[in-house]
């Protein structure tokens, strides 16, 4: 029924440095700067609040390989935080859509490969039944969805470091619009979790 499916939200989650970068300039895949902050209570609670209402994970190929290579190993890991294990189980069980022009077939269960623009894929997902569509730290996907004004909820974790360069999440030329702050939390090491909803 379209009445049920009309409410599917596109929720994007990204970690940013205080100077607005999501990766180091020299090595965009080096996420070591995130680790001291990602294991704080505020960051873990923030992620939990995002995946609990979601039924679909939308990822770019590089992030899919990183996430799906690591997170399943957390399940049953000795000493694992229950929130980390909960996310890991959700990620394994959730429907996953990976945007890729190079993968012919998915090496992961419950995964569909889509070689189409992110906005088109999201339109199809919105038309299907389910909960939130969660875009997990895939900058290229989030940028494309922001440019197409397809993001309903923007979740950010701000870490108090300057990377001094590197790619930015918010490019010039994004559609003008207002956002409403729906939650905020500050935690250890100055970690800040913010959630904004698009005002339409």
């Amino acid at each position: 029924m379209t009445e049920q499916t009309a409410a599917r939200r596109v929720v994007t989650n990204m970690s940013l440095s205080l100077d607005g970068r999501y990766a180091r300039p020299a090595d965009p895949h080096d996420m070591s700067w995130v680790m001291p902050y990602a294991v704080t209570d505020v960051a873990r609670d923030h992620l939990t609040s995002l995946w609990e209402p979601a039924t679909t994970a939308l990822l770019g190929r590089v992030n899919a390989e990183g996430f799906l290579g690591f997170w399943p190993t957390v399940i049953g890991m000795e000493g694992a935080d229950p929130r980390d294990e909960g996310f890991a189980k959700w990620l394994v069980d959730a429907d996953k859509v990976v945007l890729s022009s190079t993968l012919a077939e998915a090496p992961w269960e419950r995964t569909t490969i889509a070689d189409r623009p992110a906005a088109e894929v999201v339109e199809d997902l919105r038309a299907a039944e389910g909960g939130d569509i969660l875009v997990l730290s895939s900058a290229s996907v989030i940028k494309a969805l922001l440019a197409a004004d397809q993001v309903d909820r923007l979740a950010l974790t701000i870490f108090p470091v300057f990377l001094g360069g590197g790619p930015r999440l918010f490019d010039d030329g994004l559609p003008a619009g207002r956002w409403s702050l729906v939650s905020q939390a500050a935690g250890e090491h100055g970690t800040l979790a913010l959630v904004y909803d698009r005002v339409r």
Side-chain angles (χ1 to χ4, degrees):
M1 281 176 42
T2 53
E3 205 168 64
Q4 284 180 310
T5 60
R8 286 198 91 178
R9 295 180 302 188
V10 173
V11 180
T12 63
N13 185 46
M14 181 60 85
S15 299
L16 294 178
S17 65
L18 196 56
D19 58 345
R21 317 292 179 159
Y22 61 83
R24 291 185 190 277
D27 183 1
H29 302 303
D30 172 20
M31 297 305 287
S32 60
W33 65 276
V34 166
M35 294 319 297
Y37 308 102
V39 296
T40 59
D41 283 334
V42 70
R44 283 176 161 140
D45 291 344
H46 172 75
L47 183 58
T48 300
S49 74
L50 299 177
W51 66 255
E52 282 183 333
T55 56
T56 303
L58 180 60
L59 299 139
R61 180 189 59 81
V62 172
N63 266 58
E65 288 170 347
F67 271 70
L68 296 167
F70 168 73
W71 281 104
T73 69
V74 173
I75 300 169
M77 183 186 286
E78 189 177 342
D81 187 284
R83 292 164 294 187
D84 293 346
E85 199 164 5
F87 172 69
K89 288 176 179 172
W90 173 83
L91 187 61
V92 168
D93 293 340
D95 292 327
K96 293 167 282 291
V97 179
V98 176
L99 298 173
S100 174
S101 59
T102 56
L103 282 178
E105 56 185 51
W108 314 285
E109 290 183 10
R110 300 182 63 93
T111 305
T112 304
I113 304 298
D115 182 10
R116 293 186 295 135
E120 285 184 20
V121 172
V122 158
E123 288 287 356
D124 289 348
L125 290 172
R126 284 187 195 273
E129 287 193 24
D132 286 351
I133 302 155
L134 180 57
V135 187
L136 290 162
S137 304
S138 294
S140 61
V141 179
I142 295 173
K143 284 177 173 231
L145 294 175
L146 285 169
D149 200 13
Q150 287 277 15
V151 176
D152 302 304
R153 173 161 284 187
L154 179 67
L156 301 170
T157 317
I158 311 294
F159 301 140
V161 292
F162 277 14
L163 294 184
R168 294 183 180 275
L169 182 62
F170 303 112
D171 294 327
D172 287 346
L174 289 175
R178 291 192 310 115
W179 296 80
S180 171
L181 181 66
V182 292
S183 73
Q184 57 184 320
E188 309 99 304
H189 313 305
T191 301
L192 188 62
L194 303 169
V195 179
Y196 292 91
D197 279 353
R198 180 73 167 92
V199 178
R200 299 195 187 278

